[in-house]
Amino acid sequence: MAHHAPEHPAHTGEIAKPNTAWIWKTFWVITAITALEFVIAFVMPASTLRNSIFIILTICKAFFIVAEFMHLKHETKGLIWTILIPMSLLIWLLVALITEGNAIHNAIF
């Protein structure tokens, strides 16, 4: 019983082209969101609405970074919800603290 090594096709010496399309897609999405932030910064006057838009757009950028580069979008739904629910509660807490702090500041001054 002879033991034969499996036959492999001859290598041509070429290196496979890397699949970087997903990196470029993420890059362009983040670039577009950042450009939108710059437009809003120079067009809108300073206000709570402008700050809220900045916060929402920053969360969108963070979503794309976490989904693509940390591979969260490829995980199970349970893990995704385990991460998203506490994060949304922290965002709610941040908004509540800013609102209350603003109310206290306005009441004192």
Side-chain angles (χ1 to χ4, degrees), residues 90-106:
L90 284 173
I91 291 169
W92 173 77
L93 176 65
L94 181 64
V95 169
L97 290 174
I98 290 171
T99 304
E100 288 297 320
N102 192 26
I104 291 171
H105 177 67
N106 290 338

Side-chain angles (χ1 to χ4, degrees), residues 2 9 11 13 21 28 43 47 50 52 59 73 77 79 81 85 89 100 107:
H11 295 287
W28 289 115
V43 172
S47 66
R50 186 177 86 170
S52 300
I59 290 170
K73 76 175 187 179
K77 297 291 183 195
L79 179 62
W81 285 113
I85 290 174
L89 292 173
E100 288 297 320

Side-chain angles (χ1 to χ4, degrees), residues 35-45 49-50 53-54 57:
L36 181 61
E37 286 178 337
F38 270 98
V39 168
I40 291 171
F42 290 114
V43 172
M44 289 183 69
L49 175 63
R50 186 177 86 170
I53 292 172
F54 280 139
L57 291 174

Side-chain angles (χ1 to χ4, degrees), residues 23 27 61 64 68 79 81 86 104 109:
I23 294 174
F27 169 77
K61 286 196 300 190
F64 280 106
E68 291 294 334
L79 179 62
W81 285 113
I104 291 171
F109 297 107

Side-chain angles (χ1 to χ4, degrees), residues 2-69:
H3 206 66
H4 296 288
E7 293 196 26
H8 296 288
H11 295 287
T12 60
E14 294 181 21
I15 298 174
K17 187 175 180 181
N19 183 9
T20 58
W22 64 276
I23 294 174
W24 284 109
K25 177 188 164 212
T26 305
F27 169 77
W28 289 115
V29 168
I30 292 172
T31 301
I33 294 172
T34 304
L36 181 61
E37 286 178 337
F38 270 98
V39 168
I40 291 171
F42 290 114
V43 172
M44 289 183 69
S47 66
T48 304
L49 175 63
R50 186 177 86 170
N51 292 342
S52 300
I53 292 172
F54 280 139
I55 291 170
I56 291 168
L57 291 174
T58 302
I59 290 170
C60 289
K61 286 196 300 190
F63 165 76
F64 280 106
I65 291 169
V66 170
E68 291 294 334
F69 296 119

